[in-house]
Amino acid sequence: MKYICRSCGTMIGHLDPTQVTERALGFDCLTIEERQEILQYQENGEIHVQIICEHCQEALERHPELHLQSTPLQ
């Protein structure tokens, strides 16, 4: 399971899926729409979790107009 910034594409971290489950991370509490937005299931069985890294979050807070772009920091 890889955590990847949805804005800049940087890999933030990873978890061994044999050590942690989606339920333990609370993903089972997400709506279908939230799961589709946040979780990407790869053909090789890997899960990519789309979040925003600290750098991009700070940039978006400083420049809220970037929210209007589909890929604001790429």
Side-chain angles (χ1 to χ4, degrees):
M1 190 174 305
K2 291 183 181 177
Y3 284 77
I4 300 172
C5 179
R6 73 173 68 233
S7 190
C8 69
T10 300
M11 189 173 99
I12 299 165
H14 68 280
L15 295 172
D16 183 346
T18 63
Q19 301 294 318
V20 66
T21 64
E22 288 185 43
R23 183 176 181 153
L25 295 171
F27 295 153
D28 61 321
C29 296
L30 299 174
T31 65
I32 293 171
E33 293 81 17
E34 290 168 332
R35 287 180 73 86
Q36 290 173 340
E37 182 180 331
I38 296 170
L39 304 176
Q40 293 183 341
Y41 296 89
Q42 307 301 305
E43 289 183 19
N44 64 0
E46 199 170 75
I47 300 171
H48 289 183
V49 183
Q50 301 292 311
I51 58 174
I52 295 187
C53 71
E54 193 173 311
H55 168 77
C56 291
Q57 181 63 36
E58 289 173 4
L60 290 168
E61 287 172 1
R62 283 192 304 266
H63 304 283
E65 68 277 7
L66 292 174
H67 285 284
L68 301 173
Q69 300 177 12
S70 60
T71 54
L73 299 170
Q74 285 188 351

